[in-house]
Amino acid sequence: MNPIYIVLIVIGALLLLVASLYLFAIKPRRKRKEMDKFKGWRYAHRGLHNDQASENSMTAFENAVKKGYGIEIDVRFSKDGELVVFHDETLKRVCGIDKRVVDLTVAQLKEINLGNTEDTIPTFKEFLEFVDGRAPLLIEIKQDQGEGNVAFGACQMLK
């Protein structure tokens, strides 16, 4: 192959790389006004939890609201199709029980303590009623394979 063609190909590739970096990494993003309401807040990931308040517990959410934090949560379905606030697919890490959240009803989940606390897994409805607009929320949708539409259910409750 002619060396001139090789040089032209290399220069073209470098120009393409620089253009890509500009478009995707360097160019300032368009500012969206609807995101302004989330600025200036610190967010408590799964609530403001500690040794006395397990993550995703009503106590952790209360701590966050009292301290002026926004709250990040995760929602997923229980066996009976109710949205619950819980990050992991299984109860193993937080509750020490090797079962999937989606395999238990809300009534069964309410019998299980979060960590070494008296708190149990809250429903999304309980969480929303408690927060009642006192803190901004970041809601992550957790949808395991074969489940219904968690996002649709969450949106219906947020109306």
Side-chain angles (χ1 to χ4, degrees), residues 31-55:
K31 293 183 180 182
R32 295 173 41 188
K33 293 210 181 277
E34 65 267 16
M35 297 304 291
D36 288 347
K37 60 186 142 204
F38 294 101
K39 293 179 181 175
W41 286 87
R42 295 187 315 177
Y43 286 84
H45 186 239
R46 301 180 200 154
L48 195 55
H49 51 94
N50 54 33
D51 292 339
Q52 290 79 41
S54 181
E55 66 182 58

Side-chain angles (χ1 to χ4, degrees), residues 15-87:
L15 287 173
L16 185 61
L17 176 65
V18 168
S20 296
L21 283 173
Y22 176 75
L23 289 173
F24 297 108
I26 299 170
K27 181 181 176 186
R29 300 284 185 222
R30 187 177 77 191
K31 293 183 180 182
R32 295 173 41 188
K33 293 210 181 277
E34 65 267 16
M35 297 304 291
D36 288 347
K37 60 186 142 204
F38 294 101
K39 293 179 181 175
W41 286 87
R42 295 187 315 177
Y43 286 84
H45 186 239
R46 301 180 200 154
L48 195 55
H49 51 94
N50 54 33
D51 292 339
Q52 290 79 41
S54 181
E55 66 182 58
N56 284 324
S57 68
M58 294 302 281
T59 302
F61 302 141
E62 182 177 1
N63 292 344
V65 169
K66 282 182 180 177
K67 298 273 186 176
Y69 283 80
I71 304 170
E72 182 276 340
I73 63 164
D74 308 274
V75 294
R76 59 177 63 249
F77 277 131
S78 64
K79 184 177 183 175
D80 46 358
E82 284 201 53
L83 288 173
V84 295
V85 180
F86 200 77
H87 176 267

Side-chain angles (χ1 to χ4, degrees), residues 52 99 145:
Q52 290 79 41
K99 291 187 178 183
Q145 189 173 10

Side-chain angles (χ1 to χ4, degrees), residues 1 11 33 37 49 76 95 99 105 113 117 131 140:
M1 183 178 237
I11 290 172
K33 293 210 181 277
K37 60 186 142 204
H49 51 94
R76 59 177 63 249
C95 305
K99 291 187 178 183
T105 65
N113 291 354
T117 70
V131 173
E140 185 174 336

